[in-house]
Amino acid sequence: MSSEFSRTLSLLRQEKGVSQRLAAGELGISQALLSHYENGIREPGLLFVVRACDYYGVSADFILGRTLSREGNMLTEQDILDAAEPKNSLRGSVLATLQSKLLSGAVGVLFELLGKLGDKALINAAASYLGSAVYQLYRHLYRASGANEAYFALDPNTCLLGLSDADRKLCEARFAAALRDLKAQKAEFPDLSAPAINAAYPGRCQSLTQVLSTTDARLVAFSREKK
């Protein structure tokens, strides 16, 4: 069972606009048991998951955090943007939770694949690249909130005007260089075919596929706009 299942279950109930007591009654369990499920104290059985999916009108993959699609299929970039429409009560909270799980699953697969290569420089470069992106996004959020910029050693204007981008470019170059070295050494790379990835990561492969598919579609659209 996904570790995020309990939070998604709670958010779906809030989105539906029903009390815990009412939801529990309609799901055929006690309020206390539903509370345990929503707080991650107890893990439900398959029968309850099926009932919850029917009750909230979502797929099992969605409620388990394996996809952003309520129907269980892959989403387009526009589908993801539409999910955040203000008219949808609490959709922002659900979207944030699921996007977090989506990225977490994809990054987990990436680092497990990198771990098979056993190269410290490669792994550290990937971690630094992602860390720099998180840093920059958080700095933007931090600055917009009016928080004390003195918390960080680096001046925000210096950070947000290209330094973080340059840092990521350097990390990416180190990552690519490490891969070239491994290839020159004839290292054994993991099988990245779709069947192999699906077999090795049955619970997280769709997260990786969704991230790749969504980003690829966005980049294709961007390249067309540039022409």
Side-chain angles (χ1 to χ4, degrees):
M1 190 72 66
S2 168
S3 61
E4 294 290 340
F5 169 80
S6 57
R7 189 179 178 195
T8 302
L9 185 67
S10 177
L11 288 171
L12 285 170
R13 178 180 57 75
Q14 294 174 59
E15 182 183 76
K16 191 177 179 72
V18 296
S19 67
Q20 200 172 66
R21 176 178 294 180
L22 177 60
E26 295 185 340
L27 287 167
I29 60 174
S30 68
Q31 182 180 351
L33 184 55
L34 180 58
S35 177
H36 285 171
Y37 289 163
E38 289 188 358
N39 287 293
I41 298 173
R42 292 185 61 179
E43 186 174 283
L46 181 59
L47 182 60
F48 174 81
V49 174
V50 172
R51 282 204 302 262
C53 288
D54 291 341
Y55 182 62
Y56 293 118
V58 298
S59 69
D61 278 339
F62 177 87
I63 206 167
L64 294 174
R66 297 181 62 191
T67 177
L68 285 173
S69 170
R70 295 185 175 226
E71 293 75 33
N73 56 300
M74 294 291 291
L75 295 178
T76 65
E77 175 74 4
Q78 191 57 49
D79 290 330
I80 293 174
L81 293 175
D82 290 344
E85 285 296 315
K87 63 184 178 182
N88 296 318
S89 174
L90 292 178
R91 285 296 280 272
S93 297
V94 173
L95 182 70
T97 299
L98 294 176
Q99 282 283 26
S100 175
K101 288 190 288 186
L102 186 71
L103 288 170
S104 177
V107 169
V109 172
L110 172 64
F111 275 94
E112 286 191 33
L113 291 170
L114 295 180
K116 293 179 185 299
L117 290 166
D119 188 275
K120 291 183 179 180
L122 183 71
I123 295 169
N124 287 336
S128 295
Y129 182 95
L130 293 172
S132 181
V134 171
Y135 178 90
Q136 185 171 11
L137 292 176
Y138 189 81
R139 287 294 308 257
H140 277 294
L141 175 63
Y142 196 83
R143 190 179 200 186
S145 72
N148 181 17
E149 292 285 359
Y151 175 78
F152 294 94
L154 188 63
D155 175 79
N157 293 317
T158 302
C159 167
L160 302 180
L161 290 178
L163 191 60
S164 291
D165 291 334
D167 178 57
R168 284 197 302 282
K169 283 293 184 182
L170 178 59
C171 293
E172 184 180 5
R174 288 171 175 164
F175 183 80
L179 285 173
R180 287 194 298 269
D181 289 344
L182 287 169
K183 191 170 183 179
Q185 297 165 17
K186 301 188 182 304
E188 184 177 351
F189 282 75
D191 186 350
L192 300 184
S193 65
I197 293 295
N198 288 335
Y201 310 101
R204 291 173 291 163
C205 61
Q206 191 169 0
S207 293
L208 178 65
T209 303
Q210 182 71 69
V211 169
L212 296 177
S213 175
T214 300
T215 305
D216 192 53
R218 186 172 64 250
L219 293 176
V220 168
F222 181 70
S223 68
R224 289 171 180 168
E225 291 174 2
K226 286 293 185 180
K227 291 180 180 179

